[in-house]
Amino acid sequence: MLDAKIPSGSLESKWTDYKGHVRLVNPANKRKIEVIIVGTGLAGASAAASLGELGYKVKAFCFQDSPRRAHSIAAQGGINASKNYQNDGDSVFRLFYDTIKGGDYRAREANVHRLAEVSGAIIDQCVAQGVPFAREYGGLLSNRSFGGTQVQRTFYAAGQTGQQLLIGAYQALERQVALGNVTMHTRHEMLDVVMIDGKARGIIARDLVSGKLERHFGHAVLLCTGGYGNVFYLSTNAMGSNVTAAWKAHKKGAYFSNPCFTQIHPTCIPVSGDHQSKLTLMSESLRNDGRIWVPKKQHDDRKANEIPEEERDYYLERRYPAFGNLVPRDVASRAAKERCDAGYGVGSSKQAVYLDYSDAIERYGKAEVNKRNLGNISHDEIMKLGKDVVKEKYGNLFDMYEKITGENPYEVPMRIYPAVHYTMGGLWVNYELQTTIPGLYALGECNFSDHGANRLGASALMQGLADGYFVIPYTVGNYLADEISTGSVPTSHPAFEETEKAVADRINTLKSINGKQTVESFHKRLGKIMWDKCGMARSEEGLKQAIQQIRDLKKEFWSDVRIPGSIDEFNPELDKAGRVADFIELGELMCIDALDRNESCGGHFREEYQTPDGEALRDDANYMYVSAWQYSKEHEWTLHKESLDYEVVKPSQRSYK
């Protein structure tokens, strides 16, 4: 079994005790130590800013033209924290418990409790940076509800919370850049980890503008490169989001954990045709006030507003009365799929359900009438007042929906359907966020540690900032305390030369194939295999078929892909080819992992393992562990297990009824 290095003692005291006894690096020595950070989203930008401020020499890399272009900017609905501003019963323990339960009891207790503990400090940090969180009338920070909870703990900035938080982290990062503590390398992509004496000692990066390969030394390397949802081709991720950095680390010895744990987000704009290259997320915050329904009659072709109230099935409220429309994402997604598969879907594709704001608009309108003492006014005037309130809370989301679909969501219900969003799997890390490679760390979505088999909404931003601002500054020092005597290794070292040559050889091999098929066509085909066989539902037969289909696709890719342009220049097709090649290999491992886990839990739904009423059926006796896969050779991985021992929470069949 893997050693997660979880501190001893009670759950509530582990992190405090760890911080009190961890080894430190004094300020003078920090100035001699170089740290590489790959990725500058919330996890990377906050880590670079924090370590730069502590005095380390930080080198940060991103493939975008600015850290502000990281995919963290796309997060909409909010960030969780157990401040209990609403006085509705929230606490550190309740946030911890909701997160463990939401992840279907497949997350590590100690990490999740630490996350809940530091969540409040994240809000204080961001307010101090000037993040414009929404506020109540009296000036206090506002909260709203998200799925999987019965309290309001989500802090938000309209529907652009990720953008505002990233600007805050970006400001902190740029301050350190201006002071000379952080060196920023934009338009650079990490293509391999350099290992010296069994430790991560640097990276090989490609300058995406010139095409040149570069060598960079670091006493430690921090990967903050996000998730791998684009393995499905269609997802809510930015087009550039990829798994390459994490996958290169995996092939150098870093174990990859729970790769099959993929989150399907229930509120996305449905697929409209084969022309699409990505999907658009509609924030889960919309489920805070919106009601989800389908017609009670199968194959009903009437428009939404033509269907009377008594002929509407508010199926989440019917099936899960305690949580209603705020059940966790995996539950809401499967319920939508079940209704559509049963013939109750809406829209031209019949692969959608309605998200309706008419009740909320009317409720807010009536509240405004009371507040303003307006007396008897018409229903239309009430609805206008209500629309103004909704516009203030969710306006940019409604505007985005209308621009994409051409429909006014204030007048007609939105049409939504589940889509690939987040990945709970990632590089295995211990309590210190260190991978199985000494000196190599993984923060944020690219590690596996905090969300189990299903992430609760508004917890991604929380984890990214927790790891960067409040965890890694302590834990990386524990490792670097032993590296003070290690000087900077010159990049002429044989390990750098060998790694760079291997990277160059792979690029040359890719470019020399000169086949007939585009990179995009291979990516689309991979995505279809993954969605059909390893998407919202999986089966033994389908997964076995997928593994063989992916292996065949890999052979075809490496014999018939065509990459225009040349190597020593700006060449996005070449960049994409390397990323898709890695996605193909990852897709195979995801299916192997899903096939190995003979249970249903969270986002991993094996059709053979479900309760009589269609809910996920866990097998705690045989699968209460983290799957950590070690790369052996092509098509072969070795499974290692980290036992999940619950000391405080007692796993039970999840119920949101």
Side-chain angles (χ1 to χ4, degrees), residues 241-400:
S241 297
N242 63 82
V243 76
T244 289
W247 195 249
K248 300 308 184 193
H250 171 57
K251 295 186 82 170
K252 278 290 177 74
Y255 294 178
F256 209 103
S257 282
N258 300 337
C260 77
F261 286 172
T262 307
Q263 179 168 84
I264 312 295
H265 197 295
T267 52
C268 297
I269 296 178
V271 176
S272 60
D274 292 337
H275 62 283
Q276 279 184 273
S277 55
K278 79 175 299 293
L279 297 174
T280 303
L281 171 70
M282 297 307 297
S283 170
E284 182 175 318
S285 63
L286 293 172
R287 289 201 280 144
N288 190 64
D289 281 314
R291 300 179 72 193
I292 295 171
W293 63 275
V294 293
K296 288 183 178 178
K297 178 179 147 188
Q298 285 181 314
H299 313 298
D300 195 330
D301 290 326
R302 289 177 292 175
K303 294 179 180 177
N305 291 346
E306 295 173 356
I307 301 174
E309 185 71 16
E310 62 272 14
E311 295 182 34
R312 301 179 178 188
D313 178 16
Y314 295 92
Y315 58 89
L316 291 177
E317 298 171 32
R318 170 173 55 82
R319 290 177 59 176
Y320 309 103
F323 282 73
N325 296 294
L326 287 173
V327 291
R329 291 176 174 176
D330 60 321
V331 177
S333 294
R334 281 196 298 275
K337 181 179 187 295
E338 183 276 328
R339 287 290 82 190
C340 291
D341 290 349
Y344 297 95
V346 302
S348 57
S349 68
K350 299 301 181 186
Q351 292 295 302
V353 298
Y354 287 128
L355 176 60
D356 196 333
Y357 256 73
S358 57
D359 281 3
I361 289 171
E362 185 173 1
R363 184 176 73 251
Y364 283 126
K366 289 178 178 177
E368 287 298 302
V369 170
N370 291 332
K371 279 164 58 178
R372 303 183 190 188
N373 195 24
L374 295 178
N376 292 324
I377 64 173
S378 70
H379 183 263
D380 287 345
E381 290 175 297
I382 291 173
M383 297 300 282
K384 183 181 182 306
L385 290 170
K387 286 174 187 174
D388 290 341
V389 175
V390 169
K391 187 168 188 177
E392 185 178 347
K393 291 170 73 79
Y394 307 104
N396 62 317
L397 298 172
F398 278 60
D399 293 343
M400 182 172 69

Side-chain angles (χ1 to χ4, degrees), residues 537-584:
R538 298 103 185 254
S539 69
E540 180 179 358
E541 180 184 5
L543 289 166
K544 287 179 177 177
Q545 292 172 355
I547 291 168
Q548 188 56 53
Q549 289 171 348
I550 292 170
R551 289 175 177 172
D552 293 342
L553 187 71
K554 181 178 180 180
K555 285 182 189 173
E556 195 177 341
F557 176 90
W558 283 95
S559 63
D560 199 33
V561 72
R562 181 178 181 278
I563 304 168
S566 64
I567 292 173
D568 297 322
E569 67 176 4
F570 176 68
N571 190 343
E573 281 299 299
L574 180 60
D575 307 335
K576 191 193 300 182
R579 296 166 190 170
V580 171
D582 295 331
F583 275 139
I584 291 172

Side-chain angles (χ1 to χ4, degrees), residues 39 54 71 76 121 239 270 293 297 299 414 487 579 584 602 621 623:
L54 286 172
H71 184 58
Q76 297 170 343
M239 292 293 291
W293 63 275
K297 178 179 147 188
H299 313 298
M414 297 182 191
R579 296 166 190 170
I584 291 172
Y623 293 96

